[in-house]
Amino acid sequence: QVQLVESGGGSVQAGGSLRLSCASSGGNVRLTVMGWFRQAPGKEREGVAGIDNDGKTRYADSVAGRFTISKDNAKNTLYLQLSDLRPEDTATYYCAADDRFLAAPTTAIAGYKFKGRGTQVTVSS
């Protein structure tokens, strides 16, 4: 079973930055897509950013130009750089991965087979 463990969340003021990390381990599968989704209290899950094995990245309109997804295959780690944070970015951020797909549209990320437990990001105004 693949395990995903997020880290790097915290509390920042509007305009600040954070970098989230997601370490993957275990399982005997070749992950083909990875991404991040978030969920705020009382709101639906929102796919934020995805990356496929060709390195193609996709972003939700709400974060495009402010967030950057990347991965280090040697370290089995996925990253999400959050910049110019806004209060509306406050949410629990989850790492997710799958071995069934070749592309990583943000609308699919919350439905991926493997998910972490999340890390909290709080942005104050």
Side-chain angles (χ1 to χ4, degrees), residues 92-105:
T92 301
Y93 284 71
Y94 299 88
C95 174
D98 210 303
D99 60 349
R100 299 171 294 174
F101 310 114
L102 296 179

Side-chain angles (χ1 to χ4, degrees), residues 34-91:
M34 299 189 75
W36 296 88
F37 69 93
R38 65 186 180 185
Q39 188 166 26
K43 294 189 176 181
E44 297 287 325
R45 292 177 172 181
E46 178 189 21
V48 172
I51 186 168
D52 63 27
N53 275 0
D54 291 332
K56 182 178 176 61
T57 58
R58 303 189 189 200
Y59 297 92
D61 290 344
S62 58
V63 306
R66 299 187 299 120
F67 291 7
T68 302
I69 189 171
S70 63
K71 61 179 180 173
D72 185 331
N73 291 327
K75 295 182 178 180
N76 293 322
T77 302
L78 180 73
Y79 302 100
L80 186 68
Q81 178 69 43
L82 292 67
S83 301
D84 190 23
L85 282 161
R86 304 168 181 171
E88 54 264 40
D89 294 319
T90 295

Side-chain angles (χ1 to χ4, degrees), residues 12-46:
V12 296
Q13 291 190 325
S17 299
L18 285 171
R19 189 175 82 155
L20 308 183
S21 299
C22 170
S24 64
S25 63
N28 190 27
V29 298
R30 177 176 176 270
L31 300 174
T32 54
V33 290
M34 299 189 75
W36 296 88
F37 69 93
R38 65 186 180 185
Q39 188 166 26
K43 294 189 176 181
E44 297 287 325
R45 292 177 172 181
E46 178 189 21

